Amino acid sequence: MNVALTFNVKPESGAFAEEVSSLRSNSNTQPRTNTDTYAEWDTWETINAVKDALETYHNVELIEADHNAYEKLKESKCDIAFNIAEGFNGISREAQIPAILEMLNIPYTGSDPLTLSISLDKSRTKEILSYYNIPNARFQVIDQVDQLKNFNLNFPVIVKPIGEGSSKGIYSSSFAKNSNELKSEVERVLNEYSQPALVEEFLPGREFTVAIIGNNGSAEALPIVEISYNDFPKDFIPIYSYEAKWILDTREKPLNVFSCPAKINFSLEEKIKSTALNTFKVLRCRDWSRIDIRLDKNEIPNVIEINPLPGILPNPSDNSCFPKAARTYGLNYTEMINKVLYVAAKRNNLI
Ligand SMILES: Nc1ncnc2c1ncn2[C@@H]1O[C@H](COP(=O)(O)OP(=O)(O)OP(=O)(O)O)[C@@H](O)[C@H]1O
Ligand SMILES: [Mg+2]
């Protein structure tokens, strides 16, 4: 097949970085000046690894998902797009390229624009989960600080931006034990991220993430990954925060954060997998996704969030859950990427 790989690359420095930040500041959202601005975007290392994997069997054309993406895709002769683009600005950013692809009638891997947008809005996701009785932490959405006078959750809570990924905006300080800490974190999210704050009751139990590949009846949960905090400093708040993901755990000094398969009994494994697969189904995810889960005080798996465009760092020494689960299942990086392409091609009746 002819495959177009649609991607956004993390600006390293120089002209493109400046162009991107000026595009952001010309948009009607606030320019984001945080250190984690591009945390979601991929590096060339990842993009080239996906390209190499696809090239094992297919012709691959790289299409950067920039402001000329529509024209480039219109010219493209691809049969299908392998989409890993995170998009520009706003809660529907991950939907931008899939929406263009639908307009041009080009099949693509992964979820549709609706699912991608809903999944980025963690409160909309939780509303759907709640409708289907899928356990998730009690929550409140705060658009303005004065709404905190109606706050009725139990402490401790976690405060996060309503629509970010890759732990953007989630720091150790996001864990709030009292009203003062809550207020200052809500202010930080409202000011720095220009979006509502999602406040959730803190789930104190073990944490897992489940990679899923497939569709409909044949969607399959890969071996469960556990995120454990034993290797972190003693006083570290056990959340997979920006500090945990990008500062404390580095390639030079890797921490033992993930174990896969998770060391859990069969009944818990079944419960976690069925919660994840049910979530995949009710959110109408397609082809692949990663579902984050944490146990509540009664050891019930609760869904934290859904990642329909999961992180896929290629180097096994970088901690990346989806490729790790795939490796445990018996798929190397090339096989994992091509399996996602295969299920998408099959769903689109291309094979
Ligand atoms: N309600 C909660 N109770 C306990 N811990 C939580 C809760 N919500 C989030 N966390 C912790 O914060 C981490 C990051 O939260 P979340 O998954 O919502 O952020 P994210 O930035 O979208 O993550 P990702 O990198 O997976 O896209 C989780 O992995 C978990 O450790
Ligand atoms: Mg997460």
Side-chain angles (χ1 to χ4, degrees):
M1 287 194 294
N2 292 317
V3 182
L5 172 57
T6 47
F7 65 94
N8 286 114
V9 62
K10 223 175 238 181
E12 267 137 39
S13 58
F16 182 64
E18 277 159 35
E19 185 195 323
V20 170
S21 57
S22 94
L23 282 168
R24 281 179 183 268
S25 53
N26 290 338
S27 74
N28 36 16
T29 57
Q30 288 275 107
R32 291 192 279 181
T33 49
N34 326 68
T35 48
D36 57 6
T37 301
Y38 302 108
E40 294 170 326
W41 289 15
D42 289 307
T43 59
W44 275 117
E45 186 184 7
T46 300
I47 296 154
N48 283 326
V50 176
K51 174 173 178 276
D52 291 348
L54 294 168
E55 269 179 343
T56 316
Y57 306 104
H58 306 284
N59 300 320
V60 181
E61 177 189 6
L62 285 182
I63 298 195
E64 184 165 2
D66 57 16
H67 290 66
N68 302 316
Y70 177 82
E71 296 301 329
K72 289 185 273 187
L73 285 164
K74 202 168 155 202
E75 296 304 310
S76 165
K77 301 272 178 292
C78 66
D79 302 302
I80 187 167
F82 194 99
N83 177 47
I84 56 169
E86 300 279 346
F88 283 83
N89 304 318
I91 200 85
S92 294
R93 60 193 177 276
E94 288 184 356
Q96 291 163 357
I97 293 299
I100 289 176
L101 290 163
E102 293 201 346
M103 190 176 184
L104 295 169
N105 211 10
I106 300 174
Y108 57 92
T109 59
S111 296
D112 71 4
L114 182 64
T115 293
L116 289 164
S117 304
I118 290 173
S119 305
L120 263 184
D121 186 322
K122 291 177 180 165
S123 74
R124 285 277 102 95
T125 303
K126 288 165 70 63
E127 286 159 16
I128 295 174
L129 294 174
S130 303
Y131 178 85
Y132 287 100
N133 294 323
I134 297 178
N136 64 98
R138 286 182 63 221
F139 70 104
Q140 242 173 289
V141 175
I142 310 286
D143 311 276
Q144 282 166 348
V145 178
D146 65 2
Q147 291 168 348
L148 285 173
K149 58 181 186 293
N150 301 322
F151 183 76
N152 62 8
L153 303 178
N154 297 321
F155 285 107
V157 293
I158 181 163
V159 183
K160 34 190 179 178
I162 203 160
E164 300 293 347
S166 305
S167 291
K168 285 172 73 168
I170 302 179
Y171 296 92
S172 298
S173 65
S174 308
F175 178 82
K177 299 180 288 308
N178 53 48
S179 315
N180 285 345
E181 290 178 1
L182 170 64
K183 180 160 177 281
S184 88
E185 277 309 289
V186 166
E187 279 170 348
R188 185 180 68 78
V189 169
L190 297 180
N191 295 335
E192 287 183 27
Y193 293 87
S194 312
Q195 56 185 288
L198 174 65
V199 185
E200 285 179 29
E201 286 185 356
F202 193 77
L203 300 161
R206 292 168 74 180
E207 182 172 344
F208 305 94
T209 189
V210 187
I212 295 177
I213 301 185
N215 283 301
N216 302 326
S218 58
E220 198 177 351
L222 307 188
I224 299 170
V225 177
E226 176 162 14
I227 294 119
S228 62
Y229 298 96
N230 303 338
D231 250 22
F232 285 92
K234 251 205 204 74
D235 52 355
F236 187 78
I237 310 277
I239 54 182
Y240 200 39
S241 55
Y242 190 81
E243 291 100 327
K245 205 171 292 182
W246 306 105
I247 301 174
L248 290 168
D249 182 22
T250 59
R251 196 178 289 178
E252 295 70 44
K253 260 185 81 193
L255 296 180
N256 201 4
V257 191
F258 299 142
S259 54
C260 184
K263 294 181 190 66
I264 47 179
N265 64 38
F266 183 69
S267 122
L268 182 57
E269 178 183 345
E270 287 298 291
K271 271 191 222 148
I272 293 171
K273 283 189 172 170
S274 73
T275 302
L277 286 167
N278 214 0
T279 300
F280 188 89
K281 184 169 154 208
V282 303
L283 266 303
R284 307 202 181 113
C285 296
R286 301 191 313 209
D287 305 332
W288 62 336
S289 285
R290 210 195 71 231
I291 317 282
D292 293 344
I293 285 184
R294 197 158 189 166
L295 304 186
D296 65 15
K297 61 177 190 306
N298 302 317
E299 310 263 292
I300 309 265
N302 277 236
V303 174
I304 297 180
E305 57 132 8
I306 293 129
N307 300 281
L309 279 185
I312 42 169
L313 303 182
N315 188 328
S317 52
D318 288 326
N319 273 325
S320 189
C321 297
F322 202 101
K324 181 151 191 137
R327 278 196 302 279
T328 308
Y329 181 82
L331 299 172
N332 64 26
Y333 199 81
T334 300
E335 291 161 341
M336 171 187 90
I337 295 295
N338 282 288
K339 185 161 168 120
V340 173
L341 182 71
Y342 174 80
V343 297
K346 206 160 163 226
R347 174 172 57 75
N348 285 286
N349 298 320
L350 295 177
I351 43 176

